Amino acid sequence: MKVIEVTHPIREDQFIQEDVAMAFGFFDGMHRGHDQVFQALEERARAGQLKKAVMTFDPHPSVVLNPERKRTDYLTPISDKIDILQHYDIDYCIVINFSSKFASVSAETFIQDYIIKNHVKEVVAGFDFTFGKYGKGNMMILQEMEDFNTTIVGKQEMDSEKISTTAIRQALKDGDLQKANEQLGYRYRIKGTVVQGEKRGRTIGFPTANVQPSDDYVFPKKGVYAVSMLLGSSNKLYRGVANVGVKPTFHDPSQAQVVIEVNLFDFNENIYGERVEVYWHHFLRPEIKFDGIDPLVEQMNKDTEQAKYLLSVDFNDDVSYNI
């Protein structure tokens, strides 16, 4: 897949030079709703014997358009999004830097410079995709164009609720991993690097890997989770318990930074500097402050037993992206 990073105005040498079917959207989460867009893209490309392309944007438009409610953390940061697109055998991925200059582009200019000049013969997007200054461009306008065909993908639902990035983000914030993972169509993951921590866990029998996220991910609700973690060096998956939070038994919650710590079962290796991926299976309990080390250790033993049981039921060594 060829990735083309564009800062407005798009240059002549950045235009796609062969006829394509192109999907448009921000696609944070690459969830089941987005999958319907990519399935439609596959069908239109095959029918027209076209190459497949995707146009997406970075950062989220709210950074420019709605700074009071800007979204700066993501389910799938741009690097993850590009990795997942590889699974759809996309030929071209255009990543538009969503800047103030790009936000001021008129709908007419967007159609001419970003669709027609890119040899787009089939446009595919969700029903709520908008473009151009003030979001004046929409899918109905594109359907009226004669230079290309337009396919509108309707609302996708699960349990009578729209599948959406917003719903998945809220589910993670609520600790509802089942809902988040079902709407995603795969297990939520956070990539990162194991860094030096306080090393307190090893003194109480629970050595942990302090995972520094590699990008601006959405953090699940503060609490304790049953997880699995993929070690990059061995490409091997291990089961464990993760804590997301500020460790209130040891720190002032108002002063401490939220961190991710993972205790792997039956594991005793030095993995500082390792690139890892944490997969989130089950929410066990909220993070709480304990009255000393002993009750904390007692609860951690209970967490471990509960996590081992839950992971024995649903653990799967195949962690590849799979809708």
Side-chain angles (χ1 to χ4, degrees), residues 40 51 55 75 77 86 123 160 163 169 190 224 254 260 289:
K51 294 291 187 178
M55 182 176 290
L75 303 172
Q86 303 276 7
V123 168
S160 300
I163 298 172
R169 289 171 62 93
I190 292 178
V224 180
S254 66
I260 298 174
K289 181 177 180 179

Side-chain angles (χ1 to χ4, degrees), residues 62-71:
S62 64
V63 172
V64 173
L65 303 177
N66 191 3
E68 291 184 0
R69 299 180 63 184
K70 61 186 176 183
R71 184 185 297 176

